Amino acid sequence: MVHRMPLWLKLVGVLAVGAMPWFTQSVWPLAVTTIVLVGIVLAARLPGRRLVRSMRGLLPVLVVLLAFQWWSRDVAYAVRVVLGIVNAFVAAGILTATTPVTDLLDGVVRAARPLRRVVDPEVVALTLGVVVRSVPWVAGSFSSVRESARARGLDRDPRAVVVPTVVHVVAFARSTGEALAARGLTDPADDEDAPGPDGPGASSRSPD
């Protein structure tokens, strides 16, 4: 049922969860929201280990934030702040885990259509699509380079990891740009405004 929910309903839920700490003065609504989100994770049959792993990276920030808010305000306020961040993090994870990337991109295009005079919705969708494709590729490239450096006993040398990763990323960016240009998906304004043999904007083709 969670996977079949429309995108707009999931977005409304994420926004409501994110805005809840601003409109409640008690910890209990946030705690109930946390329980509901855990129930949604179980109902959607999402891998709990992945959620726990992602929360580990956020845990040091939450601990520091909890201590600071406790010191500057009080424990109730600190718990509210931390629970609000955790709930927003989990809600956003549910959204991305239960919604296909194509549906997310289509939703972005529909949301950008009212701003057509400012930005091209198709360009926005193309940019996000490239980002979505690039992030896991870069992460995989870094992981493979690190494993290769570890096999050579150079895993503690930053140059052995950073330099090859940067080279791979630059090569990937160049190949992606060439693929977009070959399909005519880049901005043609540069070609149209480039000066030809007869002056700016003139065509380089001879008349028939």
Side-chain angles (χ1 to χ4, degrees), residues 11 70 171:
L11 287 174
W70 191 349

Side-chain angles (χ1 to χ4, degrees), residues 1-60:
M1 180 181 65
V2 180
H3 292 266
R4 294 194 299 268
M5 284 182 180
L7 177 60
W8 67 267
L9 184 58
K10 296 179 184 179
L11 287 174
V12 169
V14 171
L15 292 176
V17 171
M20 183 175 294
W22 300 93
F23 298 100
T24 180
Q25 301 297 324
S26 174
V27 176
W28 295 111
L30 298 173
V32 172
T33 302
T34 304
I35 296 174
V36 171
L37 289 173
V38 172
I40 294 175
V41 170
L42 297 177
R45 297 181 180 179
L46 300 178
R49 292 181 180 179
R50 183 180 302 177
L51 178 62
V52 172
R53 272 200 309 268
S54 61
M55 289 296 298
R56 286 178 183 173
L58 192 63
L59 185 60

Side-chain angles (χ1 to χ4, degrees), residues 111-145:
R113 281 173 183 168
L115 304 175
R116 187 180 298 274
R117 294 183 178 181
V118 180
V119 62
D120 188 353
E122 301 299 332
V123 173
V124 174
L126 177 62
T127 303
L128 291 178
V130 171
V131 171
V132 169
R133 177 172 175 263
S134 301
V135 169
W137 190 94
V138 173
S141 176
F142 177 79
S143 178
S144 62
V145 169

